[in-house]
Amino acid sequence: MDLEKLLSDRLAPAFAAVAGGPVDPLVRRSGRADFQADAALALARRLGRPPRDVAGAVLAHAVLDDIGVSAEVSGPGFINLTLTDRALADLVAGLAGDARLGVPSTATPQTVVVDYSAPNVAKEMHVGHLRSTVIGDAAVRLLTWLGHRVVRVNHLGDWGTPFGMLIEHLIDLGEAEAAQHLSMGDLDTFYRAARVKFDADEAFQERSRLRVVALQGGDERTRRLWRLLVTQSERYFLTVYDLLDVGLSGDDFRGESAYNHLLAGVVDDLDRLGLLRPSGGAACVFPPGFTGRDGAPLPLIVRKSDGGYGYPATDLAALRQRVGELGATRLLYVVGLPQRQHFAMVFAVAEAAGWLHPPVRAEHLGFGSILGADGRMLRSRAGESVKLVGLLEEAVARATDLARSRNPDLDAEAAAEIGRAVGIGAIKYADLSVDRTTDYVLDWERMLALDGNTAPYLQYAYARIRSVLRRAGTAARPDAPIVLARPAAPIVFAQPAERALAVELLGFAGVVGEVERSLELHQLAGYLHRLATAFSAFYERCPVLRASDELRESRLLLAGLTARTLRQGLDLLGIRTLARM
């Protein structure tokens, strides 16, 4: 149950009665009560009345007794809201028997296309691909769990003029040797060698240009060699996704080439609709509201002056196909913030063409950069982009060393399992726990810390609860599921820390519902950290195994619910939990 929404729904008519119109009650968690509503202060300014008087008038209209909530005016005009112990106990008991922890499946499932990761063929994935892949994977997990039909699209860069150069270099090496290079994941070396040759050899340049013509013209041998480049690159990408523990598979690859046959139709339709205008020999659309630095209208170039097509045409064709053929009602593009204007223009053109219209909506989930300790873009010592595989392997190695230092008796298999779960979890959580529109610094010491807002802290909290449950005899095996059952005896709140943990547990549904709308995944991460912190306070102040029978069962239930919520929340973020650490 979303308690904040329930309280807001109950208070909204009371505020409306006082204000003479709709008012958001602004309900939130409180340090002085379970919740508080803040809207009386702003409403008082509007009405020209004392805030406490307004808050009192709201409470005179509010109906809260039937849901076990007491209310009082506090401070300058806040409305404090406190659940009775019985009401709180009943709500928590309901969670104990609910496999979904109070989060309902959506009543209005949508078809959601999530476009993310998007590496380039014949190039290794680097740190710049991390955020798109991790954010996209978490969005897919959350929306799928809520009951939406989610279509994953990995929009590969597999088409265009560089492939003439790459295919000619492949021919020079010989197919067998080139395939060996590519299968080893040495894509950057292959690409750089082709580029050096292209820049230095005019004859090679001419061959490359002719090869592009052959590729675009459907020449059988050229297409076969191009497919070799694509296939070997896709195999490499899948090894990275396996290491990163994300759900992308070979079925999700959809390169730019897949839309090639649709591009001419996109241009023809834009022309037929009167949206196309010539500019410098190119065919362009000038969506209103977009201007350059000189104040002149900014064009979206859909066909270049040489007759070729660029990214805008491909993105328009992809959007049209996703809405028309896949039936998408929500389109998510997990791409860096530098592409913000590009997608805004693409969406504007699609709306003008009638391809993007309510209830369909398109959203650019932009994100910031990963920075080094110097506050600049993260680079290798040689000044190049950091390879993603190297970054992930370093995370696993550091986490494995940390696990061994804390527990020298760990066998190699256990250390490797912990190292991978903690290392990859730390990488993901560092990304997902910050507002995605901001940059963040890659700081190994902070990311792998067992305290603070980190994945290891949350994973350790889960493992500690599993240890308590094992010692209590409720989960003898490390992998035993936590039993789902409504408790026979009432839940008891003998200490404030028990109440605080119970109220925090009831917040899961509201956070998930908000993240479904906003896809601000740091809100879910922040909630899980608050929950783990509340459990830590509970664990320190409320003995579990040494408590009397009634308290023991009540506290074991709170601990088990916390473990289930942490596990479910971390799973939505793509982070593994461990029964032992």
Side-chain angles (χ1 to χ4, degrees):
M1 175 182 291
D2 185 345
L3 265 180
E4 288 188 21
K5 184 177 186 305
L6 173 64
L7 294 170
S8 183
D9 289 347
R10 287 302 186 96
L11 288 173
F15 270 100
V18 174
V23 174
D24 182 349
L26 300 177
V27 175
R28 62 181 178 85
R29 288 295 307 278
S30 170
R32 297 182 178 275
D34 293 331
F35 297 91
Q36 72 181 45
D38 297 344
L41 281 77
L43 179 58
R45 288 194 294 271
R46 200 174 93 196
L47 299 178
R49 295 171 56 185
R52 288 183 63 89
D53 288 355
V54 171
V58 168
L59 288 185
H61 288 84
V63 180
L64 298 168
D65 292 347
D66 62 319
I67 57 172
V69 174
S70 63
E72 64 177 4
V73 179
S74 173
F78 302 119
I79 297 175
N80 283 354
L81 303 159
T82 303
L83 280 80
T84 65
D85 283 357
R86 180 173 179 177
L88 183 58
D90 286 345
L91 290 170
V92 173
L95 287 185
D98 183 357
R100 294 186 60 84
L101 297 164
V103 181
S105 296
T106 180
T108 55
Q110 300 181 64
T111 295
V112 186
V113 173
V114 186
D115 183 329
Y116 64 114
S117 195
N120 292 310
V121 164
K123 287 186 178 180
E124 291 186 49
M125 293 180 70
H126 54 79
V127 69
H129 294 106
L130 177 64
R131 300 206 71 183
S132 175
T133 308
V134 168
I135 294 167
D137 182 65
V140 166
R141 288 169 179 266
L142 184 134
L143 294 170
T144 300
W145 188 62
L146 288 172
H148 297 289
R149 174 186 174 238
V150 180
V151 180
R152 297 173 296 201
V153 175
N154 195 347
H155 192 80
L156 298 184
D158 71 345
W159 199 248
T161 53
F163 284 89
M165 171 188 80
L166 294 168
I167 293 170
E168 284 301 313
H169 180 53
L170 187 156
I171 292 171
D172 287 352
L173 284 178
E175 290 185 41
E177 184 176 346
Q180 183 178 8
H181 275 283
L182 295 168
S183 64
M184 292 170 61
D186 196 12
L187 305 182
D188 281 356
T189 299
F190 182 90
Y191 189 93
R192 281 197 298 267
R195 171 56 66 181
V196 168
K197 195 183 298 183
F198 184 88
D199 291 340
D201 186 340
E202 290 186 7
F204 184 81
Q205 290 179 19
E206 183 59 26
R207 284 164 47 203
S208 298
R209 293 188 184 101
L210 293 174
R211 187 63 63 181
V212 172
V213 174
L215 176 64
Q216 294 177 344
D219 175 71
E220 185 176 340
R221 179 176 182 236
T222 302
R223 285 291 181 97
R224 180 175 59 80
L225 296 174
W226 167 77
R227 174 47 57 187
L228 175 64
L229 285 171
V230 173
T231 300
Q232 295 293 348
S233 297
E234 287 179 347
R235 288 176 181 168
Y236 156 74
F237 298 148
L238 290 174
T239 65
V240 179
Y241 297 141
D242 180 66
L243 178 57
L244 190 52
D245 196 19
V246 295
L248 283 167
S249 72
D251 294 337
D252 305 318
F253 290 127
R254 191 168 180 86
E256 295 169 9
S257 59
Y259 306 101
N260 192 54
H261 67 290
L262 303 173
L263 302 184
V266 165
V267 175
D268 289 345
D269 282 356
L270 291 173
D271 191 24
R272 179 179 55 80
L273 291 166
L275 297 172
L276 216 58
R277 288 169 51 191
S279 178
C284 306
V285 180
F286 290 83
F290 295 93
T291 56
R293 292 182 180 178
D294 58 358
L298 199 62
L300 189 73
I301 302 173
V302 292
R303 187 174 60 209
K304 296 181 285 187
S305 58
D306 62 3
Y309 302 96
Y311 295 125
T314 300
D315 286 335
L316 286 167
L319 185 152
R320 191 182 186 188
Q321 183 266 345
R322 293 167 186 177
V323 175
E325 294 182 26
L326 300 180
T329 50
R330 192 177 186 186
L331 303 169
L332 305 177
Y333 294 80
V334 190
V335 186
L337 280 174
Q339 296 297 314
R340 176 169 41 197
Q341 185 178 70
H342 166 78
F343 281 107
M345 294 178 73
V346 167
F347 298 160
V349 171
E351 288 174 3
W355 304 333
L356 185 60
H357 50 76
V360 183
R361 55 190 170 124
E363 302 165 62
H364 172 212
L365 302 188
F367 52 84
S369 301
I370 303 176
L371 309 178
D374 58 0
R376 299 179 180 179
M377 294 284 287
L378 186 65
R379 298 283 182 184
S380 69
R381 291 182 179 178
E384 299 176 342
S385 294
V386 174
K387 294 180 180 179
L388 185 51
V389 168
L391 182 72
L392 299 178
E393 288 176 343
E394 182 174 358
V396 172
R398 285 175 177 266
T400 303
D401 289 344
L402 182 63
R404 285 178 176 147
S405 69
R406 289 179 55 84
N407 187 353
D409 296 331
L410 279 176
D411 60 44
E413 183 178 354
E417 180 186 8
I418 293 171
R420 178 167 179 180
V422 172
I424 299 301
I427 286 280
K428 290 183 175 182
Y429 193 83
D431 195 308
L432 297 170
S433 61
V434 298
D435 185 327
R436 59 177 160 76
T437 62
T438 63
D439 302 336
Y440 73 91
V441 174
L442 187 78
D443 181 338
W444 290 113
E445 185 174 348
R446 183 189 64 80
M447 289 163 52
L448 291 167
L450 284 171
D451 54 10
N453 191 12
T454 67
Y457 175 70
L458 301 180
Q459 290 168 315
Y460 181 70
Y462 176 82
R464 184 163 61 175
I465 298 172
R466 293 306 303 245
S467 174
V468 171
L469 298 179
R470 283 195 301 274
R471 285 183 285 144
T474 61
R477 300 191 325 273
D479 59 345
I482 299 170
V483 176
L484 305 176
R486 190 180 180 95
I491 296 170
V492 180
F493 302 115
Q495 296 287 338
E498 290 166 302
R499 276 192 63 90
L501 179 58
V503 173
E504 204 66 69
L505 285 165
L506 291 168
F508 184 57
V511 171
V512 171
E514 176 55 36
V515 175
E516 177 188 14
R517 292 184 289 275
S518 68
L519 291 174
E520 293 178 351
L521 294 155
H522 68 282
Q523 293 189 17
L524 176 56
Y527 166 79
L528 296 175
H529 178 249
R530 292 194 302 274
L531 177 62
T533 302
F535 175 79
S536 179
F538 160 83
Y539 187 76
E540 290 173 6
R541 298 165 192 167
C542 304
V544 178
L545 301 181
R546 292 182 285 106
S548 64
D549 288 347
E550 184 183 32
L551 273 179
R552 185 177 188 272
E553 292 307 309
S554 178
R555 289 172 179 176
L556 280 172
L557 183 136
L558 288 173
L561 268 176
T562 302
R564 285 175 51 203
T565 307
L566 286 173
R567 179 166 185 163
Q568 182 62 68
L570 287 170
D571 183 70
L572 294 178
L573 296 179
I575 296 172
R576 293 186 185 183
T577 47
L578 297 161
R580 297 183 190 270
M581 279 182 66

